[in-house]
Amino acid sequence: MTTLQLSAPVERRPSARPGVVARTGLFAVLAANVLLVTVLFFQAGLSVNALILIGRLAGLYGALLMAFQLLLVARLPWLDRRLGMDRLTSWHRWIGFSLLWTLLTHAVFITLGYAQVTSLPPVDELVTMATTIDGILRAIVALVLIIVVGAVSARFARRRMAYETWHFVHLYTYVAVVLAFSHQVAVGPTFTASAFATAYWWGVWGFALGAVFVGRLGLPLWRNLRHRLRVAAVVPESGNVVSIHITGRHLDKLPARAGQFFLWRFLTKDRWWQANPFSLSAAPDGRSLRLTAKALGPGSAALRSVKVGTRVFAEGPYGAFTTLHQTRPNTLLVAGGVGITPVRALLEELRGHVVVIYRVTRPEDAVLLHEMRGLAHARGAVLHVVTGPSDRAPLGPDAIGRAVPDVRDRDVFVCGPPGMTNAVLQTMRDLGVPKHQVHAERFSLAG
Amino acid sequence: MKRAVPILLLTIAGLVPLWRFEAEPETVVAAPEAPAAAAPDTAAPDVSGTSQAPAASGAQTVTGSLISTKYGDVQVRLTYAGDQITAVTMVKQPNSGPTKMAVPVLVRETLDAQSADVDTVSGATTTSGAYVQSLQAAIDAKGD
């Protein structure tokens, strides 16, 4: 182990930070498309009614945002490695609500505009449009679906719902996307104004749906057919934490890195439909993978009873919690509870001097501690285990400033429950650690 | 998970008729204004325009061909004073917001241009296209 680390070639870091490159690229693409859509809108000619005009522009921006939303959740490896699923998901959430309002604006203004032209009451006008113009009824159904999806995604509703239920409802957005697109083809004047506009919109939708298809279906299916993962061992780590060792074929070809996670499905009769995100708790060695999970939901609790030999379907690897984002030679790792798993894997891969702070409530909660001690010793890293009830002080600026005096010259990787993660992020701001040196992974699925 | 199957079946059962739903275009037919001149028009629509013999006053009406679109039928009638188009009447037009928005614009442009050289109204591309076709047929019929 140690000799291998010493002889490993030092990775050359790109001059531009990967996260910045991806973010800038993504929003440059969005801005360029907004500009193009605006130009196409004016080229199609202006309508005689201002309300219709506003409604139409809102519809076009809505269509564009919808395609962008698909790109954000397509789980394309290039974007995911650079931005992380947590950040992509939080953008998706934010843009999702903007999209909802944009589409409502579209529907309301178009209806009011044509109601003005025909001198009908708005509701009658809507009914007339739905029954006499092809595509309008489909658009109305699409909008209703999106409103429902938006409603169950609102925080108060989301908290009361199982992930699987929420996800099931969310999948109806794909139905909405197809209905909305067919509506755009049927009635959109900007769509039919020129051959270029038509080709452009087909291109936008083709690319967005293609990205989702590749990232969410094609790539996972191909990888699982290739690697054929199976459970090799189930090892209890503590009262409610279990490690699962997984083997498969050609695992050296799987581009997983320390600090990343997969969405795991254990293909047993009663739980194949449940996917849970768990980090790799050891750096991938090309022969096997290991995940370590704490019983949080019913899904994680049943892991202990998984049988050796069970087929596993894993989507991933995902996450930007990797050395790709390292900017300094030395590192501080902060783990809270079961957040130790990606940190444990990172410790194997990191070069330079490493300090680890492992925060747990009770000493017996410190899973993988034995391994952490061994690894820290072999790597010449410093390991602090901090126990005690939740309290910011042990992770506050004073404590961390004392334990790691050169923290401003290190990369800081934080993984733990949201409260602890936020406390550490605050501490790093207080200590003046530059923002781009601080890397945090929010350990939960979309919602 | 057990609930998912019936919900999916219901979804499919709902989506199939939605996808197959075809909007029924409505056509508004204008009431005939000049009974004497309009009488022959009630015959089956002609692809070429039909021209009415000049009445005593010298005013002449010409009806364009009937163009069917997915939103409904379009047919125009022009009133000439000599070679001057003085009025455009819609014999038939789709009963839809976009058409009602477009027609006044198209008529105004026709009177200005005195020809079928009329711009498409954005948001009513199909109606505009059909209008121009019917208009051209009417102008051609007048030329005979």
Side-chain angles (χ1 to χ4, degrees):
Chain A
M1 256 332 235
T2 33
T3 49
L4 190 129
Q5 279 148 9
L6 288 173
S7 61
V10 177
E11 224 174 302
R12 272 178 53 127
R13 278 180 236 302
S15 48
R17 294 202 301 277
V20 176
V21 171
R23 191 171 56 220
T24 314
L26 206 51
F27 283 96
V29 166
L30 181 63
N33 280 284
V34 167
L35 195 69
L36 189 58
V37 163
T38 313
V39 170
L40 289 176
F41 166 75
F42 283 108
Q43 265 181 0
L46 295 182
S47 149
V48 286
N49 185 295
L51 295 175
I52 294 174
L53 215 57
I54 296 170
R56 200 183 290 167
L57 194 59
L60 289 172
Y61 289 152
L64 197 56
L65 281 183
M66 226 175 188
F68 191 67
Q69 283 287 71
L70 291 178
L71 183 62
L72 289 183
V73 292
R75 297 182 185 158
L76 297 179
W78 191 87
L79 283 177
D80 192 88
R81 275 201 301 271
R82 282 161 179 80
L83 295 165
M85 196 189 282
D86 52 349
R87 197 180 309 172
L88 287 168
T89 306
S90 83
W91 290 349
H92 178 81
R93 183 182 167 80
W94 196 85
I95 294 177
F97 286 112
S98 323
L99 172 62
L100 178 59
W101 292 113
T102 309
L103 293 178
L104 276 173
T105 306
H106 168 65
V108 167
F109 274 70
I110 289 280
T111 307
L112 290 180
Y114 283 121
Q116 208 172 57
V117 170
T118 57
S119 320
L120 283 175
V123 175
D124 294 6
E125 175 57 31
L126 189 64
V127 172
T128 309
M129 283 198 288
T131 52
T132 61
I133 302 179
D134 227 13
I136 300 294
L137 188 63
R138 272 172 278 163
I140 294 171
V141 173
L143 182 60
V144 170
L145 286 176
I146 286 176
I147 292 170
V148 170
V149 168
V152 300
S153 296
R155 273 191 209 289
F156 68 90
R158 177 68 189 89
R159 261 189 258 121
R160 284 163 177 75
M161 221 179 269
Y163 170 77
E164 282 78 13
T165 313
W166 170 84
H167 190 235
F168 185 85
V169 176
H170 214 81
L171 287 177
Y172 277 80
T173 42
Y174 291 111
V175 177
V177 163
V178 172
L179 291 175
F181 179 53
S182 88
H183 144 77
Q184 199 187 4
V185 174
V187 297
T190 315
F191 197 97
T192 45
S194 69
F196 175 78
T198 310
Y200 167 77
W201 279 109
W202 275 102
V204 165
W205 286 105
F207 179 78
L209 285 170
V212 168
F213 198 76
V214 167
R216 287 226 158 176
L217 282 176
L219 201 56
L221 277 176
W222 180 73
R223 281 201 175 134
N224 282 279
L225 281 175
R226 184 181 196 199
H227 298 300
R228 296 183 179 272
L229 304 174
R230 277 183 193 280
V231 174
V234 181
V235 181
E237 300 284 355
S238 82
N240 54 1
V241 177
V242 61
S243 283
I244 297 189
H245 296 252
I246 286 164
T247 54
R249 304 187 309 181
H250 313 301
L251 283 187
D252 53 322
K253 300 279 192 336
L254 181 69
R257 301 183 66 144
Q260 288 192 300
F261 66 96
F262 287 80
L263 300 176
W264 304 94
R265 278 172 207 274
F266 295 92
L267 303 183
T268 57
K269 209 176 123 202
D270 50 337
R271 45 176 305 156
W272 60 269
W273 51 277
Q274 242 180 2
N276 292 94
F278 296 122
S279 290
L280 296 177
S281 59
D285 60 2
R287 293 184 308 270
S288 71
L289 302 169
R290 186 183 75 170
L291 65 103
T292 301
K294 183 181 176 186
L296 290 171
S300 324
L303 277 182
R304 193 177 284 272
S305 56
V306 165
K307 291 193 172 51
V308 169
T310 304
R311 288 290 300 270
V312 180
F313 189 93
E315 294 160 59
Y318 299 128
F321 198 67
T322 64
T323 56
L324 177 70
H325 298 271
Q326 209 181 340
T327 60
R328 300 273 151 188
N330 299 334
T331 318
L332 166 64
L333 303 175
V334 187
V338 78
I340 192 68
T341 52
V343 166
R344 148 77 178 77
L346 271 181
L347 179 58
E348 267 183 87
E349 199 183 285
L350 282 168
R351 315 275 164 263
H353 186 256
V354 183
V355 177
V356 186
I357 299 177
Y358 187 5
R359 179 82 172 89
V360 283
T361 313
R362 300 166 305 166
E364 59 266 35
D365 293 334
V367 292
L368 304 179
L369 183 59
H370 185 68
E371 286 181 21
M372 289 300 291
R373 289 221 165 97
L375 264 176
H377 181 73
R379 306 288 327 275
V382 179
L383 173 65
H384 298 283
V385 181
V386 183
T387 55
S390 292
D391 175 19
R392 191 183 163 213
L395 297 176
D398 294 343
I400 288 194
R402 257 198 316 277
V404 198
D406 62 343
V407 63
R408 290 176 66 172
D409 199 36
R410 287 173 184 263
D411 276 296
V412 182
F413 289 84
V414 192
C415 186
M420 190 214 82
T421 303
N422 290 338
V424 173
L425 294 181
Q426 183 59 48
T427 297
M428 295 307 149
R429 281 193 291 272
D430 294 347
L431 287 171
V433 180
K435 213 175 141 198
H436 63 264
Q437 282 169 231
V438 183
H439 318 280
E441 177 109 294
R442 305 207 177 255
F443 206 78
S444 67
L445 271 183
Chain B
M1 192 55 201
K2 287 206 182 88
R3 280 171 299 171
V5 176
I7 292 174
L8 278 177
L9 290 176
L10 273 176
T11 304
I12 294 165
L15 284 176
V16 169
L18 174 66
W19 196 259
R20 293 172 56 94
F21 172 81
E22 275 181 36
E24 291 232 1
E26 264 176 40
T27 302
V28 197
V29 182
E33 339 107 67
D41 279 2
T42 49
D46 195 343
V47 192
S48 63
T50 45
S51 170
Q52 300 302 310
S57 64
Q60 180 191 9
T61 60
V62 190
T63 306
S65 47
L66 180 110
I67 310 292
S68 290
T69 75
K70 58 177 173 173
Y71 301 117
D73 296 340
V74 177
Q75 191 169 27
V76 300
R77 179 183 295 136
L78 303 180
T79 306
Y80 278 95
D83 282 338
Q84 184 86 8
I85 302 173
T86 54
V88 182
T89 318
M90 298 306 290
V91 181
K92 285 181 174 152
Q93 70 174 61
N95 183 24
S96 73
T99 300
K100 287 177 182 166
M101 172 190 75
V103 163
V105 181
L106 293 168
V107 168
R108 200 177 59 231
E109 285 185 32
T110 309
L111 294 177
D112 288 349
Q114 290 293 316
S115 73
D117 183 19
V118 171
D119 286 338
T120 297
V121 175
S122 173
T125 316
T126 309
T127 300
S128 303
Y131 174 89
V132 169
Q133 259 184 288
S134 187
L135 175 64
Q136 188 64 58
I139 292 171
D140 291 350
K142 158 78 163 89
D144 291 345

